[in-house]
Amino acid sequence: MAKTKTAFVCTQCGNDSPKWIGKCPVCGEWNTYAEEIISSKQSPDRELQGLSNYETLKSKPVLLQEINTGDEIRLDMCDLELNRVLGGGLVPGSMVLIGGEPGIGKSTLVLQTALKLKRFKTLYISGEESAKQLKLRAERLGTNNENLFILCETNMEQIFTHINNLKPELLIVDSIQTVYTERVESSPGSISQVRESAAILLKFAKETGTPILLIGHINKEGSIAGPKVLEHIVDTVLQFEGDQHYMYRILRNIKNRFGSTAELGIYEMRQDGLREVNNPSELLLTQNHDGLSGVAIAATIEGIRPFLIETQALVSTAAYGTPQRSATGFDIRRMNMLLAVLEKRAGFKLVQKDVFLNIAGGLKVNDPAMDLSVISAILSSSLDIAIEHEICMSGEVGLSGEIRPVNRIEQRILEAEKLGFKKIIIPQNNLKGFDTAKSQIHIVQVKKVEEAFRELFG
Ligand code: TYD
Ligand code: MG
């Protein structure tokens, strides 16, 4: 019987050490080391039963210039948004990790995709839900697929025996934290298990050219649970995010070996599954807010996708000692900074006001160009003066109240124009080489928040 070997592994970054340490020398986190059994192999080259049956391609060095990229084949996922995020479809032999909070819709997304992909023999490995639950979900999604196999199994050795028999063309693993291999003795979900299982799957993907969709849990800090190494192993990392209480979901690409990470997909969660949202602006704008104060429309860009989104603010007199601050879809510290700018520039008395901020649809938009609309919505609510509904805006606000230039201004202007807006407020000196004569929309350039306020509230 071989001796079990243990090591202390940082749960944050996956660094290992033979003894326990309080502060990780790699990621600097405190108290993250946990003991794990790293190997109990009888013989070092004991292969997985299932895996060894594959004929492995013998690798040999080739000249870079002789490598034929040809027309890179991409598998159409039958989902415009998913294709877009993947950079034009799934690459054969690639491993894609989909991370996200529990209940956000990861399983729904992959099951829905698997149901649509009728051309491929797909194997869906579920370690979280029973076959019955999956069947119920599939019924809810309303489609059927005769080429989709469900396997409720978490043992990798067993899984590979089935893979060998079935020879699927697409493999789905829901989730990587539930599967385990006998090669490693620690429990499922532990760092060494996740790392080892992912490595086995990767080997399979590369050797057979079978694409794999992996689902990964997210920890409380919002990164993918388990080691960072998991993100290094896979080819593409997608993050599925959104507010559970709202119906919109964003699928973001945070790493992509086969395309850009600037693309993002937008979905709407409905009773019958996720619906692709190809034109986000139309959904994120309330149709009729004419005359309502506290609403400002921002022309934003997420990745490389422009869309218009509604910012709503409610300012009321603080009834109790400490004023309340709340923000949905926006960084609350950033909002506090903007409130301080307002206090300085517009005589807004911070201490006496409760401020509530909401970005339509519960979406978290990371674009700094949201600042101007946030600050305008707050002031609009505070003054109780509505902003004309044909105006939208874009601009980052600096500490001294200056409006800073933002990226891709042309795209923002064009999107606003397309949606029928009459006026757009943008930062000064942002329009380099953009021909304003051609655009129908009235472009107002401002340098300071005061100028924007004068434009909006007279
Ligand atoms: P799920 O895919 O199980 O999330 P995850 O795998 O990320 O944990 O999504 C579960 C949620 O989605 C659940 O709260 C119900 C909701 N849902 C719908 O609103 N409509 C649907 O058609 C489906 C299948 C789920
Ligand atoms: Mg799930």
Side-chain angles (χ1 to χ4, degrees):
M1 184 60 197
K3 212 176 141 226
T4 10
K5 219 173 127 189
T6 65
F8 290 86
V9 186
C10 172
T11 51
Q12 194 72 23
C13 68
N15 182 48
D16 51 27
S17 146
K19 60 178 202 295
W20 190 85
I21 3 185
K23 185 184 178 189
C24 176
V26 176
C27 67
E29 286 294 317
W30 286 91
N31 232 351
T32 52
Y33 276 76
E35 187 174 19
E36 283 201 6
I37 301 158
I38 50 168
S39 79
S40 65
K41 285 182 197 162
Q42 275 98 346
S43 76
D45 52 5
R46 192 187 125 208
E47 257 302 306
L48 270 182
Q49 276 176 350
L51 259 185
S52 55
N53 294 349
Y54 281 95
E55 341 172 343
T56 43
L57 298 171
K58 289 275 173 288
S59 53
K60 67 172 200 288
V62 264
L63 279 171
L64 181 64
Q65 65 218 46
E66 281 173 9
I67 298 173
N68 186 10
T69 52
D71 343 286
E72 192 187 301
I73 323 159
R74 297 252 184 183
L75 310 176
D76 178 10
M77 303 301 280
C78 302
D79 180 325
L80 276 181
E81 300 295 303
L82 194 56
N83 276 344
R84 186 203 304 269
V85 178
L86 290 170
L90 190 61
V91 176
S94 68
M95 193 147 98
V96 178
L97 176 67
I98 304 175
E101 284 178 22
I104 207 73
K106 303 180 292 297
S107 305
T108 309
L109 179 70
V110 290
L111 183 64
Q112 189 173 325
T113 311
L115 285 168
K116 279 195 233 166
L117 289 172
K118 297 197 171 41
R119 288 170 294 127
F120 305 113
K121 197 198 274 180
T122 308
L123 177 62
Y124 188 123
I125 295 158
S126 174
E128 307 207 330
E129 281 155 305
S130 67
K132 220 171 182 174
Q133 282 172 311
L134 282 165
K135 173 75 183 166
L136 285 174
R137 181 175 297 207
E139 276 170 7
R140 197 167 159 187
L141 297 173
T143 33
N144 202 0
N145 182 349
E146 282 157 17
N147 241 341
L148 174 62
F149 294 84
I150 304 286
L151 172 65
C152 295
E153 178 60 69
T154 50
N155 180 311
M156 284 295 263
E157 282 70 16
Q158 294 276 330
I159 290 173
F160 269 97
T161 313
H162 291 298
I163 290 178
N164 255 331
N165 298 334
L166 196 67
K167 306 222 170 0
E169 289 160 288
L170 172 68
L171 185 66
I172 295 173
V173 181
D174 184 2
S175 63
I176 185 69
Q177 276 88 4
T178 53
V179 292
Y180 70 96
T181 159
E182 287 163 15
R183 283 189 187 183
V184 182
E185 266 195 4
S186 49
S187 56
S190 66
I191 291 172
S192 38
Q193 273 296 354
V194 167
R195 186 161 47 189
E196 195 63 25
S197 305
I200 294 172
L201 288 167
L202 183 77
K203 187 161 179 253
F204 166 72
K206 298 296 170 210
E207 282 174 3
T208 62
T210 315
I212 303 183
L213 295 180
L214 274 185
I215 289 186
H217 293 172
I218 225 166
N219 60 18
K220 62 180 191 301
E221 287 86 27
S223 55
I224 289 157
K228 256 283 187 250
V229 286
L230 187 54
E231 289 181 39
H232 290 297
I233 292 175
V234 301
D235 298 302
T236 305
V237 181
L238 304 180
Q239 183 136 317
F240 207 32
E241 49 182 61
D243 192 317
Q244 267 200 44
H245 306 291
Y246 290 89
M247 52 215 177
Y248 298 109
R249 303 280 183 271
I250 288 189
L251 188 62
R252 231 181 261 282
N253 194 327
I254 36 185
K255 167 185 170 177
N256 194 358
R257 287 197 183 135
F258 307 107
S260 113
T261 52
E263 291 286 5
L264 91 174
I266 302 177
Y267 292 92
E268 183 188 5
M269 179 62 101
R270 300 216 304 208
Q271 285 301 314
D272 55 350
L274 291 156
R275 188 181 71 86
E276 302 162 35
V277 177
N278 299 324
N279 186 359
S281 298
E282 281 172 16
L283 283 160
L284 300 171
L285 296 175
T286 315
Q287 301 309 326
N288 212 340
H289 60 78
D290 217 3
L292 296 178
S293 66
V295 176
I297 311 291
T300 65
I301 298 237
E302 268 297 293
I304 52 169
R305 244 176 128 173
F307 55 86
L308 279 93
I309 194 167
E310 191 178 297
T311 324
Q312 302 171 337
L314 175 66
V315 176
S316 61
T317 311
Y320 306 103
T322 334
Q324 291 189 64
R325 299 282 141 77
S326 133
T328 313
F330 196 77
D331 181 13
I332 193 139
R333 278 169 302 178
R334 182 116 198 130
M335 181 178 90
N336 283 331
M337 184 283 268
L338 294 173
L339 287 174
V341 172
L342 263 178
E343 173 157 44
K344 195 94 180 168
R345 300 281 152 185
F348 181 86
K349 290 283 174 289
L350 275 176
V351 281
Q352 299 156 8
K353 305 278 208 289
D354 286 341
V355 181
F356 306 97
L357 183 73
N358 184 24
I359 309 295
L363 287 186
K364 183 146 179 47
V365 182
N366 298 326
D367 188 4
M370 289 288 291
D371 288 359
L372 187 56
S373 71
V374 167
I375 209 167
S376 306
I378 293 172
L379 193 63
S380 161
S381 176
S382 175
L383 298 170
D384 201 18
I385 303 177
I387 296 173
E388 269 177 63
H389 72 285
E390 285 169 333
I391 303 184
C392 63
M393 58 203 83
S394 204
E396 184 182 342
V397 174
L399 284 181
S400 56
E402 80 277 18
I403 312 274
R404 297 158 155 271
V406 292
N407 63 355
R408 298 177 187 266
I409 194 75
E410 305 86 353
Q411 262 179 290
R412 298 170 198 264
I413 296 173
L414 291 175
E415 181 72 10
E417 195 176 288
K418 200 172 89 194
L419 288 161
F421 282 83
K422 296 277 180 318
K423 196 194 276 186
I424 182 166
I425 303 180
I426 61 158
Q428 196 143 48
N429 303 327
N430 208 169
L431 283 173
K432 287 193 190 80
F434 182 75
D435 188 7
T436 48
K438 265 194 272 159
S439 51
Q440 313 255 310
I441 193 166
H442 179 41
I443 300 171
V444 182
Q445 304 188 45
V446 293
K447 216 168 163 173
K448 290 215 146 79
V449 285
E450 292 94 320
E451 287 171 41
F453 295 156
R454 227 172 293 133
E455 189 63 38
L456 291 169
F457 309 111

